[in-house]
Amino acid sequence: MTAVELIGVTKEYESGDRRVTALDDINVTVDEGEFVSVIGPSGSGKSTMLNLIGLLDRPTSGRVVVGGVDATDMSESRRTEKRGEVIGFVFQDFYLLPNLTAEENVRMPTAFNKSRVDSGRARELLGRVGLGDRVDHYPNELSGGQKQRVAIARSLINSPEVLLTDEPTGNLDLDTSERILGEISKVRETGVSVIAVTHDPMVEEYADRTVELVDGRLSDSRSDTARVGGEP
Amino acid sequence: MAVRNLTRSRFRSGLACAGIAIGVFAIAALGIFGNVLAVEATSTIGEIGSEVVVTPNGEEGYTSIPETVVDEIERATSGTPSAAILTASGLAASRGETASVTFYGTENPGAVFEASEGSLPRVFRTGAAVGSEVAERLSLRVGDRIETEVGSYRIVAVLQGSETQISPVSPDEAVVVPETALGTGGGYDQVVLSGESGGGASEAADAVRETVNARENRVTVFELSSVVEEIDDFFSLLSGFLISLGAISLIVAGVSILNVMMMSVVERRGEIGVMRAVGGQRGDVVRIILIEAVALGVVGSVFGVALTSIAVAALYYLTPVGASAVFDPGTFFYLGTAFGVGVAVSVLSGIYPAWSAANEDPVDAIRD
Ligand SMILES: Nc1ncnc2c1ncn2[C@@H]1O[C@H](COP(=O)(O)OP(=O)(O)OP(=O)(O)O)[C@@H](O)[C@H]1O
Ligand SMILES: [Mg+2]
C-alpha cells in the first residue's frame, strides 16, 4: 500500500521579484511501513518536501496524496484535521511548549481532536524514548537531546500513519541515536511510514532507501534510488 | 494552559491586569461618586420640585399682585392649590422671650406649609402657625399664645422644618397668620401654586404666563421644577464627564492588554505554529489567545471592583454621606457595568492578536 505520493510536485517561492524553485517536478512514492531517508545539501528543498507531505504547505503544481487521499485541493481546516489524524512531526527545532511538562507536551496534540488520550500513553511513549524519569520536567530542565526525544514522543501520540522528522538524530550522541532509530524502526513494524531528513549516515543505515535532493531535483547518484523518480 | 502562559511573563501580565484594575476602578469609582453626589443632592432638595412662585414684576413697576390678578391666576390654574401671600418682618414674643420673625399672611396656608404638630385649617381666620425655629426659641407648643406686632394669637400648628421640605417661603422663622392681620387691601406679595407633580407645576406656570401675562408681563413666574431639572442636568453632565474620564483610562488599559497579547503572540509564534501543525485549527488558536486576554481582564476587573468597594466603604465610614446614597442601586449598577466593560475591553483587545496568531502560516512560523 502506498502511504505518500508526490506526483509532479513543483514548489516555487516568490521573494521580492525573484522566484526560487525549491522543488522542481519531483515524483516520490513511499509505501506503508517504509523508512525513507532524505539527504541533500542545505537549501536543496528537503524541509520544503516534508512540509508538503505533512500538509503544512501546498504545491505550486502537482498533486500530494497522503494515506490514499488526494489532499492537494483540501480546505485549510480539512488539512489541519488530517494533519492531526495521520501525520506525526518532529521539527528541526522541536518547539516544545515551555510552560508544559514533558508529559503534557507529549499529550498536547490530543487537545485539538476528539480522541481522549490519557497521560498513561504519553508516559509510555516517553519511556520508550528513554525519558521515563523525566515526565514531569519542564523543557528548560531538559538537555537538547532530551527535548528532541520529547518531540519524538509527541509525534507518535496520535498514532500517525506517516512520521516526518527533520534531523531526528541531530542532537543525539551515538547511543541515544541508536536507541531512537531502534524506536522508529519498531514503529514501522506497525505500518507507519517514516520519512527522515538527515545528514547522519547512521540514519541511512536504518532506512530502507535514501533519496537525494539537489537543487530541488531528485538525484540518481545512488544505486538504491531506482524506485524514486520513475512511475509510482 | 492559558493561565500558565500568563504566569510565564508574570510581570507583564501583572501590569496589564493592573491597568484593567485601574480602569475599572476609575469607571466604577467616578460613576459611583457622581451618583452618590446626585443622590445626596436630590434627597436634600427633595420635595421642592412641584411649586410655582408668582411674584410681581418689579422691572415693569409692579410692587404687588392685586386681588383681581390673584383671581385670574386661580382661574387659570383651577385645580392647583394656591395661596396668595402677604409678607412682613417683625418681632414676636412669648413669656418674656422675643424673636425676630417673618410674618406670612394667607388664607390658605395648607398650599404652602405642612404642619408637624397640630393642623393647618382649610380656611385660616384665627390663630397662627409658627415655624420650628420660632417655636424652639420661644418654647411654644400648640395651644400656647404668641404676642406679635400684628396681634395676639393662639398657636394652632408648628410647621415642618426645611430639612424635610424645601419651600419657596422659608418656614423655619415663619409666623403664619390670617391674611386679614397683614391686609392693607393693596395686593399680595406672592402667590404660591403647589402642583401635584413637576409636570402639573409647569403646566400651571404656563397657564399663568399665557393668561396673566398675555398683554403685559405683570408677574414673574418662577418654577422650582426648572431648578431641579437644571440640577439634574448638571449631575448627569458631571457623571458623564467623570465616567468618560474613567473610560479613557480603561481604553489605555485595553491598549496595554493588546500590547501584552501581541508580544506574547509574537514570542510564541513557533509554538502556535506547532499547535497548528499537529492539528490545532485556527479557531483553537483564537480560543486560546482570547481565553488568555479574558483571564487578564477578569482578574484585573475583580481587583478593580474590590478596590472600588474599599473606596466606597471608606466613603461611607469617613464622610457623612448616608447609607442610602452609598448603597443606592446606582452603586451596584456602576460596579457591575465597570466589571462588564473591563472584561469586554479585554476581549476586544484580544481579538486582533488572536486573529493575527490564527492567520500566521504555520510553515513560516516553524521555519525561523
Ligand atoms: N518561505 C520561503 N520563501 C522563500 N524562499 C524559501 C522559503 N522557504 C524555503 N525557501 C527556499 O527554498 C529552498 C529550499 O529550502 P529548504 O528549507 O527546503 O531547504 P533544506 O533542504 O531544508 O535546507 P537545510 O538543510 O538547510 O534545512 C531554499 O533555497 C530556500 O531559500
Ligand atoms: Mg531544512
Side-chain angles (χ1 to χ4, degrees):
Chain A
M1 257 286 276
T2 311
V4 176
E5 238 182 317
L6 297 184
I7 308 166
V9 165
T10 297
K11 178 69 187 178
E12 291 174 347
Y13 291 106
E14 279 183 66
S15 47
D17 47 341
R18 271 173 30 82
R19 275 176 161 268
V20 177
T21 306
L23 290 176
D24 189 1
D25 188 25
I26 63 165
N27 293 286
V28 174
T29 305
V30 180
D31 284 338
E32 224 173 69
E34 198 180 6
F35 188 159
V36 176
S37 73
V38 181
I39 60 167
S42 180
S44 57
K46 305 184 295 294
S47 297
T48 303
M49 189 171 105
L50 280 196
N51 289 340
L52 289 172
I53 295 171
L55 307 182
L56 276 176
D57 217 347
R58 291 169 192 270
T60 312
S61 65
R63 309 208 70 81
V64 178
V65 182
V66 176
V69 183
D70 188 338
T72 322
D73 301 320
M74 275 185 181
S75 72
E76 177 59 30
S77 78
R78 267 296 289 141
R79 288 152 63 87
T80 304
E81 206 175 298
K82 196 128 179 74
R83 281 201 295 273
E85 283 164 14
V86 301
I87 310 285
F89 282 106
V90 185
F91 299 101
Q92 235 165 341
D93 298 318
F94 334 134
Y95 288 111
L96 302 182
L97 306 200
N99 48 313
L100 301 183
T101 64
E103 184 260 305
E104 289 165 334
N105 261 291
V106 172
R107 213 145 43 91
M108 184 268 282
T110 64
F112 301 116
N113 59 38
K114 288 123 258 156
S115 70
R116 308 281 293 137
V117 175
D118 56 6
S119 63
R121 172 153 167 78
R123 282 165 193 275
E124 180 212 315
L125 284 170
L126 282 168
R128 273 161 56 181
V129 295
L131 288 178
D133 54 343
R134 293 280 188 281
V135 285
D136 294 324
H137 286 227
Y138 285 89
N140 62 359
E141 300 162 345
L142 299 173
S143 72
Q146 288 169 334
K147 282 186 218 172
Q148 184 165 25
R149 285 184 275 159
V150 174
I152 290 167
R154 180 178 66 190
S155 72
L156 296 172
I157 189 78
N158 61 340
S159 311
E161 293 170 24
V162 180
L163 182 62
L164 304 172
T165 73
D166 220 338
E167 301 288 358
T169 56
N171 290 272
L172 304 180
D173 57 74
L174 215 66
D175 282 355
T176 319
S177 292
E178 247 167 33
R179 167 166 202 167
I180 292 298
L181 289 167
E183 275 309 322
I184 290 176
S185 301
K186 232 190 265 167
V187 170
R188 294 168 49 210
E189 281 154 24
T190 63
V192 179
S193 312
V194 179
I195 301 171
V197 168
T198 188
H199 290 111
D200 183 355
M202 199 205 294
V203 177
E204 291 178 58
E205 271 171 41
Y206 276 81
D208 297 324
R209 63 194 167 97
T210 298
V211 167
E212 184 174 11
L213 275 173
V214 177
D215 282 344
R217 294 213 175 87
L218 293 171
S219 147
D220 345 303
S221 65
R222 288 184 178 254
S223 57
D224 52 358
T225 54
R227 296 185 52 233
V228 176
E231 285 306 305
Chain B
M1 192 153 105
V3 172
R4 285 211 229 154
N5 271 325
L6 295 172
T7 51
R8 193 157 101 204
S9 44
R10 213 166 271 148
F11 184 66
R12 216 200 284 150
S13 305
L15 279 184
C17 278
I20 286 288
I22 290 168
V24 167
F25 173 75
I27 286 204
L30 294 176
I32 289 169
F33 291 170
N35 187 54
V36 165
L37 280 180
V39 170
E40 281 279 289
T42 32
S43 76
T44 324
I45 353 176
E47 297 171 33
I48 61 170
S50 51
E51 288 179 334
V52 178
V53 183
V54 181
T55 48
N57 186 356
E59 281 172 31
E60 299 280 337
Y62 293 95
T63 53
S64 68
I65 304 176
E67 188 74 49
T68 54
V69 175
V70 172
D71 287 346
E72 271 181 58
I73 293 172
E74 276 168 2
R75 249 178 285 130
T77 63
S78 60
T80 307
S82 67
I85 298 173
L86 286 162
T87 320
S89 50
L91 297 173
S94 173
R95 300 184 197 109
E97 297 275 349
T98 309
S100 67
V101 301
T102 307
F103 294 107
Y104 293 109
T106 180
E107 275 188 341
N108 186 13
V112 186
F113 301 104
E114 278 178 55
S116 64
E117 275 173 53
S119 65
L120 293 168
R122 181 75 56 75
V123 179
F124 201 26
R125 297 213 189 283
T126 56
V130 295
S132 54
E133 219 148 280
V134 178
E136 202 180 312
R137 196 104 44 83
L138 303 182
S139 322
L140 291 170
R141 313 215 51 182
V142 173
D144 291 348
R145 280 203 88 76
I146 182 170
E147 307 297 328
T148 73
E149 292 171 45
V150 295
S152 163
Y153 296 94
R154 200 178 72 85
I155 307 283
V156 296
V158 176
L159 303 175
Q160 260 179 25
S162 57
E163 311 89 57
T164 56
Q165 182 212 11
I166 287 198
S167 167
V169 283
S170 84
D172 291 355
E173 273 127 42
V175 173
V176 184
V177 292
E179 168 189 317
T180 47
L182 302 177
T184 56
Y188 297 90
D189 296 314
Q190 53 186 313
V191 176
V192 176
L193 301 163
S194 305
E196 289 285 298
S197 62
S202 61
E203 248 170 57
D206 287 343
V208 173
R209 286 194 198 99
E210 276 161 28
T211 56
V212 181
N213 281 352
R215 261 166 292 138
E216 197 188 347
N217 280 338
R218 290 185 286 179
V219 293
T220 306
V221 182
F222 177 68
E223 278 173 83
L224 282 164
S225 65
S226 67
V227 176
V228 174
E229 259 164 46
E230 267 168 44
I231 291 172
D232 279 350
D233 285 352
F234 168 75
F235 277 112
S236 52
L237 192 72
L238 179 74
S239 50
F241 173 71
L242 292 176
I243 288 173
S244 34
L245 278 184
I248 289 172
S249 63
L250 201 55
I251 289 172
V252 172
V255 170
S256 90
I257 285 208
L258 179 79
N259 185 37
V260 165
M261 296 313 299
M262 236 20 238
M263 279 165 80
S264 100
V265 162
V266 169
E267 251 172 36
R268 279 150 54 196
R269 202 165 160 249
E271 294 167 32
I272 290 167
V274 164
M275 287 184 196
R276 297 272 288 117
V278 300
Q281 296 283 2
R282 289 201 170 116
D284 295 322
V285 174
V286 167
R287 215 180 51 229
I288 288 170
I289 307 291
L290 278 186
I291 287 174
E292 290 184 27
V294 169
L296 286 178
V298 168
V299 172
S301 299
V302 165
F303 273 106
V305 166
L307 217 59
T308 315
S309 307
I310 293 171
V312 169
L315 182 76
Y316 177 57
Y317 286 112
L318 304 180
T319 69
V321 170
S324 66
V326 170
F327 299 111
D328 185 74
T331 299
F332 301 101
F333 168 77
Y334 282 113
L335 276 179
T337 306
F339 184 87
V341 171
V343 173
V345 162
S346 331
V347 174
L348 285 178
S349 312
I351 287 177
Y352 177 70
W355 179 84
S356 74
N359 282 293
E360 177 83 66
D361 187 344
V363 178
D364 290 340
I366 287 161
R367 201 159 45 88
D368 42 35

